[in-house]
Amino acid sequence: MAAQRRNFMQSPHQSWTDDLPLCQMCGVGTAPNCAYGSDGKGTQSHPNEDGHLRFRGEDGCFLYGVFNGYDGSRVASFASQCLTAELLLGQLNSSHTDNDVRRILTQAFDVVEKSYFETIDDALAEKAHLSNYLLPHNENVSFHQLSPQSQKVQERLKELEQEVSGGATAVVALILNNKLYIANVGTNRVLLCKSSSDGQNQVLQIGRPHSTDNEDELQRLAALGLDSARIRQAAQISGQSSTRRLGDYPVKFNYNEIDLLSAAKTRPVVAEPEIHGSLSLDGVTGFLLLMSEGLINALESAHGPEQANQEIVAMVAAELAQQTSLEAVAQSVVERVKRLHHDVYVSGRQRATYCSRHEDMTLLIRTLNYPLADAALTPTQGGRIYPVSVPYSNSQSTSKTSVTLSLVMPSQSTLTNGTNTASTLEEGTPTPGQSPTATLQSTNTQTQSSSSSSGDGSLFRQRGSQAAQPDETGRVPPYVDFTQFYRLWGGDHSDSQSAQGGLGPQ
């Protein structure tokens, strides 16, 4: 088995799960990392290191995951393949209890971690051999002063060090018997948005990130003999904010050589998942979001962390009301976050200093009986477009946030999970001049500050449901009023206007 795993790592086109069907009720959007120059132009620093999975198993079983890789994509890629093989090749069935599912999920992560380290056994052995081959030399001797043979050995050692150093954080969602289970390792995020018939939309953040500011994680590390205050102040462990992660051999096996971790009684950074669930999805209408740390950080860097969950849910709801495929929805939301991040940087505003770069971004959306826009309708053919507002406030309140969502709804029929169904809009549905509103309440499974506000912030302009009709001259009335523009232009260019006969519509 170890040989098979090593072969898999050496053959990026090989997959253990090629025969498993992809889930058609979800969409994935991605964007690579980007660093901005002084001119606002962005460049990619390294290949995309994120990964994801979205498979449909037997017995009504669905598996989704987002993996945030670092120092290479090897661990994220391996984990997405191996974790699927450990969960969807007969290990789960409808007869399993909640405890069974939690046990199988925990075991799967343990197998993935151990299996990955098996794949780098050869690299570790070669690294140890070459390290012993090199004679100790004066640290003041530069690389170019070494013999050609020693230079080759040094270069190979750097390659091997990079090969065994990568890691990844992971969040996995499992749906079995129409119940939701979440397994989290690290700093990605899961949101569940549930809509009710009376227009109430509840957003639930499932779990908290395993990071250096998580009180539970700091207590766990303190119990191992580490200085939790020092870890909180450092904010990172070997370059990453996560306290749980997959892979990362140097941190897992050489932690006693890392100053921040050297006092630990046992391995402090672990791959054990935190399991949430089950949550029943019976009768639930809404959507599930799995987001990589890069996407979360980009949005929070641009607009602050207070309303990040509400903003991303509003963006998804808006795109679901316009797009006709979930892939387009997810990609549009990622592109919007990327654009917001860039615009804040080039604006030079207060938060611009936080937006000089962003990491790889991944968003996975799984709908739960939630309607998509009707591809047959355009806004001027009866498809209704209403604004989506995301009020923002720095004021702190308790545990819920009220946000006005005015959603784009098809006026005749909807597309639900790939099936055309008749519209259920009631007679009281507002006309295009009356934007319907829904209250979105945000509730976290852990304590989280939030805020409420009323205010503007529409993302879309409202238009009528009918196509604009031409007047007697054959012209269509403009959407934008240019009266002020013409008045100012006329005041500054009165002489040229006199000579040319004036400006403005004739």
Side-chain angles (χ1 to χ4, degrees), residues 267-286:
R267 186 181 299 177
V269 178
V270 297
E272 180 183 356
E274 186 174 0
I275 311 293
H276 302 271
S278 65
L279 298 174
S280 175
L281 299 179
D282 290 339
V284 172
T285 298

PDB file of all heavy atoms in Angstrom, residues 267-286:
ATOM      1  N   ARG A 267       3.587  15.769  20.803  1.00  0.00           N
ATOM      2  CA  ARG A 267       3.401  16.527  19.560  1.00  0.00           C
ATOM      3  C   ARG A 267       2.267  17.557  19.714  1.00  0.00           C
ATOM      4  O   ARG A 267       1.107  17.190  19.931  1.00  0.00           O
ATOM      5  CB  ARG A 267       3.077  15.559  18.435  1.00  0.00           C
ATOM      6  CG  ARG A 267       2.995  16.218  17.070  1.00  0.00           C
ATOM      7  CD  ARG A 267       2.644  15.193  16.011  1.00  0.00           C
ATOM      8  NE  ARG A 267       3.645  14.134  15.923  1.00  0.00           N
ATOM      9  CZ  ARG A 267       3.534  13.076  15.108  1.00  0.00           C
ATOM     10  NH1 ARG A 267       2.452  12.931  14.346  1.00  0.00           N
ATOM     11  NH2 ARG A 267       4.486  12.168  15.073  1.00  0.00           N
ATOM     12  N   PRO A 268       2.565  18.859  19.604  1.00  0.00           N
ATOM     13  CA  PRO A 268       1.543  19.881  19.848  1.00  0.00           C
ATOM     14  C   PRO A 268       0.648  20.190  18.646  1.00  0.00           C
ATOM     15  O   PRO A 268      -0.540  20.464  18.807  1.00  0.00           O
ATOM     16  CB  PRO A 268       2.364  21.114  20.240  1.00  0.00           C
ATOM     17  CG  PRO A 268       3.682  20.920  19.558  1.00  0.00           C
ATOM     18  CD  PRO A 268       3.917  19.439  19.478  1.00  0.00           C
ATOM     19  N   VAL A 269       1.222  20.169  17.453  1.00  0.00           N
ATOM     20  CA  VAL A 269       0.436  20.446  16.237  1.00  0.00           C
ATOM     21  C   VAL A 269      -0.045  19.111  15.688  1.00  0.00           C
ATOM     22  O   VAL A 269       0.768  18.247  15.331  1.00  0.00           O
ATOM     23  CB  VAL A 269       1.273  21.209  15.192  1.00  0.00           C
ATOM     24  CG1 VAL A 269       0.461  21.429  13.922  1.00  0.00           C
ATOM     25  CG2 VAL A 269       1.734  22.549  15.759  1.00  0.00           C
ATOM     26  N   VAL A 270      -1.354  18.936  15.629  1.00  0.00           N
ATOM     27  CA  VAL A 270      -1.930  17.633  15.307  1.00  0.00           C
ATOM     28  C   VAL A 270      -2.842  17.722  14.086  1.00  0.00           C
ATOM     29  O   VAL A 270      -3.186  18.813  13.627  1.00  0.00           O
ATOM     30  CB  VAL A 270      -2.722  17.081  16.513  1.00  0.00           C
ATOM     31  CG1 VAL A 270      -1.794  16.846  17.693  1.00  0.00           C
ATOM     32  CG2 VAL A 270      -3.857  18.031  16.905  1.00  0.00           C
ATOM     33  N   ALA A 271      -3.244  16.541  13.599  1.00  0.00           N
ATOM     34  CA  ALA A 271      -4.159  16.456  12.452  1.00  0.00           C
ATOM     35  C   ALA A 271      -5.516  15.899  12.864  1.00  0.00           C
ATOM     36  O   ALA A 271      -6.320  15.547  12.006  1.00  0.00           O
ATOM     37  CB  ALA A 271      -3.554  15.584  11.356  1.00  0.00           C
ATOM     38  N   GLU A 272      -5.784  15.848  14.159  1.00  0.00           N
ATOM     39  CA  GLU A 272      -7.068  15.320  14.626  1.00  0.00           C
ATOM     40  C   GLU A 272      -8.183  16.302  14.304  1.00  0.00           C
ATOM     41  O   GLU A 272      -8.117  17.471  14.682  1.00  0.00           O
ATOM     42  CB  GLU A 272      -7.018  15.076  16.134  1.00  0.00           C
ATOM     43  CG  GLU A 272      -8.315  14.524  16.693  1.00  0.00           C
ATOM     44  CD  GLU A 272      -8.276  14.345  18.200  1.00  0.00           C
ATOM     45  OE1 GLU A 272      -7.199  14.584  18.800  1.00  0.00           O
ATOM     46  OE2 GLU A 272      -9.310  13.977  18.776  1.00  0.00           O
ATOM     47  N   PRO A 273      -9.240  15.854  13.618  1.00  0.00           N
ATOM     48  CA  PRO A 273     -10.309  16.776  13.246  1.00  0.00           C
ATOM     49  C   PRO A 273     -11.261  17.046  14.401  1.00  0.00           C
ATOM     50  O   PRO A 273     -11.437  16.211  15.288  1.00  0.00           O
ATOM     51  CB  PRO A 273     -11.034  16.037  12.119  1.00  0.00           C
ATOM     52  CG  PRO A 273     -10.848  14.589  12.467  1.00  0.00           C
ATOM     53  CD  PRO A 273      -9.482  14.498  13.091  1.00  0.00           C
ATOM     54  N   GLU A 274     -11.848  18.215  14.388  1.00  0.00           N
ATOM     55  CA  GLU A 274     -12.952  18.530  15.286  1.00  0.00           C
ATOM     56  C   GLU A 274     -14.233  18.240  14.515  1.00  0.00           C
ATOM     57  O   GLU A 274     -14.457  18.812  13.437  1.00  0.00           O
ATOM     58  CB  GLU A 274     -12.893  19.990  15.723  1.00  0.00           C
ATOM     59  CG  GLU A 274     -13.925  20.356  16.769  1.00  0.00           C
ATOM     60  CD  GLU A 274     -13.744  21.775  17.288  1.00  0.00           C
ATOM     61  OE1 GLU A 274     -12.821  22.469  16.827  1.00  0.00           O
ATOM     62  OE2 GLU A 274     -14.530  22.182  18.155  1.00  0.00           O
ATOM     63  N   ILE A 275     -15.070  17.354  15.057  1.00  0.00           N
ATOM     64  CA  ILE A 275     -16.272  16.902  14.352  1.00  0.00           C
ATOM     65  C   ILE A 275     -17.497  17.634  14.892  1.00  0.00           C
ATOM     66  O   ILE A 275     -17.694  17.706  16.112  1.00  0.00           O
ATOM     67  CB  ILE A 275     -16.480  15.381  14.510  1.00  0.00           C
ATOM     68  CG1 ILE A 275     -15.188  14.626  14.185  1.00  0.00           C
ATOM     69  CG2 ILE A 275     -17.633  14.915  13.631  1.00  0.00           C
ATOM     70  CD1 ILE A 275     -14.748  14.697  12.757  1.00  0.00           C
ATOM     71  N   HIS A 276     -18.311  18.174  13.996  1.00  0.00           N
ATOM     72  CA  HIS A 276     -19.577  18.823  14.350  1.00  0.00           C
ATOM     73  C   HIS A 276     -20.716  18.085  13.644  1.00  0.00           C
ATOM     74  O   HIS A 276     -20.624  17.757  12.475  1.00  0.00           O
ATOM     75  CB  HIS A 276     -19.581  20.286  13.931  1.00  0.00           C
ATOM     76  CG  HIS A 276     -18.478  21.094  14.541  1.00  0.00           C
ATOM     77  ND1 HIS A 276     -18.590  21.727  15.745  1.00  0.00           N
ATOM     78  CD2 HIS A 276     -17.223  21.354  14.091  1.00  0.00           C
ATOM     79  CE1 HIS A 276     -17.460  22.356  16.032  1.00  0.00           C
ATOM     80  NE2 HIS A 276     -16.611  22.139  15.033  1.00  0.00           N
ATOM     81  N   GLY A 277     -21.785  17.859  14.353  1.00  0.00           N
ATOM     82  CA  GLY A 277     -22.926  17.182  13.756  1.00  0.00           C
ATOM     83  C   GLY A 277     -23.236  15.911  14.525  1.00  0.00           C
ATOM     84  O   GLY A 277     -22.533  15.520  15.457  1.00  0.00           O
ATOM     85  N   SER A 278     -24.395  15.363  14.159  1.00  0.00           N
ATOM     86  CA  SER A 278     -25.094  15.655  12.919  1.00  0.00           C
ATOM     87  C   SER A 278     -26.088  16.811  13.046  1.00  0.00           C
ATOM     88  O   SER A 278     -26.632  17.053  14.125  1.00  0.00           O
ATOM     89  CB  SER A 278     -25.854  14.414  12.461  1.00  0.00           C
ATOM     90  OG  SER A 278     -26.881  14.089  13.386  1.00  0.00           O
ATOM     91  N   LEU A 279     -26.311  17.497  11.913  1.00  0.00           N
ATOM     92  CA  LEU A 279     -27.337  18.509  11.777  1.00  0.00           C
ATOM     93  C   LEU A 279     -28.326  18.015  10.733  1.00  0.00           C
ATOM     94  O   LEU A 279     -27.944  17.736   9.593  1.00  0.00           O
ATOM     95  CB  LEU A 279     -26.725  19.845  11.346  1.00  0.00           C
ATOM     96  CG  LEU A 279     -25.711  20.491  12.293  1.00  0.00           C
ATOM     97  CD1 LEU A 279     -25.094  21.718  11.633  1.00  0.00           C
ATOM     98  CD2 LEU A 279     -26.374  20.876  13.604  1.00  0.00           C
ATOM     99  N   SER A 280     -29.586  17.921  11.101  1.00  0.00           N
ATOM    100  CA  SER A 280     -30.593  17.429  10.166  1.00  0.00           C
ATOM    101  C   SER A 280     -30.847  18.452   9.065  1.00  0.00           C
ATOM    102  O   SER A 280     -30.972  19.650   9.326  1.00  0.00           O
ATOM    103  CB  SER A 280     -31.902  17.131  10.904  1.00  0.00           C
ATOM    104  OG  SER A 280     -32.919  16.752   9.980  1.00  0.00           O
ATOM    105  N   LEU A 281     -30.925  17.969   7.826  1.00  0.00           N
ATOM    106  CA  LEU A 281     -31.218  18.832   6.672  1.00  0.00           C
ATOM    107  C   LEU A 281     -32.638  18.611   6.164  1.00  0.00           C
ATOM    108  O   LEU A 281     -32.990  19.126   5.102  1.00  0.00           O
ATOM    109  CB  LEU A 281     -30.214  18.562   5.552  1.00  0.00           C
ATOM    110  CG  LEU A 281     -28.744  18.841   5.891  1.00  0.00           C
ATOM    111  CD1 LEU A 281     -27.853  18.510   4.701  1.00  0.00           C
ATOM    112  CD2 LEU A 281     -28.540  20.299   6.320  1.00  0.00           C
ATOM    113  N   ASP A 282     -33.449  17.876   6.908  1.00  0.00           N
ATOM    114  CA  ASP A 282     -34.845  17.649   6.499  1.00  0.00           C
ATOM    115  C   ASP A 282     -35.588  18.976   6.435  1.00  0.00           C
ATOM    116  O   ASP A 282     -35.609  19.752   7.403  1.00  0.00           O
ATOM    117  CB  ASP A 282     -35.551  16.721   7.492  1.00  0.00           C
ATOM    118  CG  ASP A 282     -35.035  15.287   7.417  1.00  0.00           C
ATOM    119  OD1 ASP A 282     -34.459  14.928   6.376  1.00  0.00           O
ATOM    120  OD2 ASP A 282     -35.191  14.542   8.409  1.00  0.00           O
ATOM    121  N   GLY A 283     -36.172  19.240   5.291  1.00  0.00           N
ATOM    122  CA  GLY A 283     -36.953  20.459   5.115  1.00  0.00           C
ATOM    123  C   GLY A 283     -36.143  21.728   5.022  1.00  0.00           C
ATOM    124  O   GLY A 283     -36.705  22.830   5.013  1.00  0.00           O
ATOM    125  N   VAL A 284     -34.825  21.620   4.941  1.00  0.00           N
ATOM    126  CA  VAL A 284     -33.967  22.808   4.897  1.00  0.00           C
ATOM    127  C   VAL A 284     -33.864  23.333   3.470  1.00  0.00           C
ATOM    128  O   VAL A 284     -33.618  22.570   2.532  1.00  0.00           O
ATOM    129  CB  VAL A 284     -32.567  22.507   5.444  1.00  0.00           C
ATOM    130  CG1 VAL A 284     -31.625  23.689   5.217  1.00  0.00           C
ATOM    131  CG2 VAL A 284     -32.629  22.162   6.923  1.00  0.00           C
ATOM    132  N   THR A 285     -34.057  24.623   3.318  1.00  0.00           N
ATOM    133  CA  THR A 285     -33.810  25.314   2.055  1.00  0.00           C
ATOM    134  C   THR A 285     -32.709  26.335   2.295  1.00  0.00           C
ATOM    135  O   THR A 285     -32.811  27.151   3.213  1.00  0.00           O
ATOM    136  CB  THR A 285     -35.071  26.029   1.553  1.00  0.00           C
ATOM    137  OG1 THR A 285     -36.091  25.065   1.310  1.00  0.00           O
ATOM    138  CG2 THR A 285     -34.777  26.791   0.254  1.00  0.00           C
ATOM    139  N   GLY A 286     -31.659  26.269   1.525  1.00  0.00           N
ATOM    140  CA  GLY A 286     -30.551  27.198   1.715  1.00  0.00           C
ATOM    141  C   GLY A 286     -29.320  26.732   0.983  1.00  0.00           C
ATOM    142  O   GLY A 286     -29.412  26.127  -0.091  1.00  0.00           O
TER     143      GLY A 286
END
